[in-house]
Amino acid sequence: MSRQIHIVCVSGTHEKLQMAAMVASVGAASGDEVTVFFSMNALAYFVKGDTTDAPVEGGFGTIIANNNGVPSFRQLFQQASELGDAKLLPCSMALDLLEITDDDLIPEFGVPTGLTKFLMDAEGAQLLSF
Amino acid sequence: MSETKVIDACNTYCPGPLMELITYMKQAEVGDTLELLSTDQGTASDVPEWVNKIGHEMVSSEKIGKIWHIKVRKAK
């Protein structure tokens, strides 16, 4: 049975982006309806052409950042979209403050979304924050 | 005609092997068998859970040396 998983992704650290991407990709590919709302420090990593390494929080972040066998968070979010139809939504406020538009983001991203709309859609569903 | 495709996901970590399997499963025909090779311990328990939820068919799962050989048949 499918369920809804809503993820708020705001941290720009490697570990939290990685965990959010893991949950999104596995959930979406397993039939769950996954929606990820990107804001704050998380959004800029998804500007087209951006390859910036996310800073690590601790030792485990260093391990996953340096191990080629660990899929990257960018790859996992793309797979969440391509394999499981996850919705990747940019926060409209964050876009405004970064002075970019959704056209500047990778094509897997959907329409700019306000927090109110996201929370209304998430009503009653599981909501995870990273 | 059904066929067995081997997917070598050795030395990749969660959820890499599962995502590899799902990628190839989407491209496979109903009745095809995919054999996933993985050195990731969690994959051996995660793949049957995914297969059960989605409704495909577990054919076999065995560890040979350090490598898990997990065979799954596409059922739909």
Side-chain angles (χ1 to χ4, degrees):
Chain A
M1 193 172 76
S2 83
R3 60 187 162 175
Q4 289 190 339
I5 299 176
H6 285 72
I7 298 171
V8 179
C9 195
V10 294
S11 171
T13 64
H14 201 107
E15 290 92 329
K16 286 183 177 168
L17 286 163
Q18 188 75 21
M19 198 68 225
M22 290 168 68
V23 172
S25 58
V26 173
S30 300
D32 294 329
E33 292 179 37
V34 175
T35 304
V36 191
F37 182 74
F38 292 86
S39 188
M40 306 291 172
N41 295 317
L43 185 58
Y45 293 103
F46 302 95
V47 171
K48 285 175 188 163
D50 184 273
T51 56
T52 309
D53 285 333
V56 301
E57 288 183 333
F60 199 83
T62 303
I63 292 171
I64 57 176
N66 294 328
N67 190 316
N68 290 332
V70 178
S72 75
F73 64 82
R74 289 185 179 89
Q75 180 186 351
L76 289 173
F77 278 125
Q78 287 173 334
Q79 288 178 328
S81 170
E82 291 166 3
L83 299 178
D85 295 327
K87 294 179 190 166
L88 309 180
L89 304 176
C91 167
S92 52
M93 176 275 284
L95 286 174
D96 288 346
L97 289 173
L98 290 169
E99 299 182 344
I100 58 176
T101 73
D102 54 321
D103 289 338
D104 296 311
L105 301 173
I106 61 173
E108 289 80 6
F109 270 62
V111 295
T113 302
L115 183 59
T116 304
K117 162 77 170 151
F118 173 76
L119 287 177
M120 285 184 174
D121 290 346
E123 188 175 350
Q126 191 171 23
L127 195 148
L128 305 171
S129 178
F130 294 92
Chain B
M1 192 172 123
S2 64
E3 56 184 47
T4 297
K5 178 169 182 60
V6 177
I7 305 160
D8 187 352
C10 291
N11 302 313
T12 67
Y13 297 88
C14 173
L18 177 63
M19 301 310 286
E20 282 283 305
L21 174 65
I22 294 170
T23 299
Y24 282 97
M25 191 65 90
K26 290 226 168 208
Q27 300 165 2
E29 304 286 340
V30 171
D32 284 353
T33 299
L34 304 184
E35 181 176 1
L36 178 68
L37 308 184
S38 176
T39 47
D40 179 59
Q41 180 69 29
T43 298
S45 56
D46 282 351
V47 168
E49 292 287 339
W50 178 80
V51 167
N52 182 50
K53 180 170 183 186
I54 299 299
H56 295 307
E57 181 187 344
M58 278 296 299
V59 176
S60 61
S61 178
E62 61 176 333
K63 192 176 186 183
I64 302 174
K66 294 180 178 177
I67 300 174
W68 284 93
H69 294 247
I70 303 166
K71 288 186 182 178
V72 180
R73 184 174 296 121
K74 181 164 179 164
K76 62 180 187 179

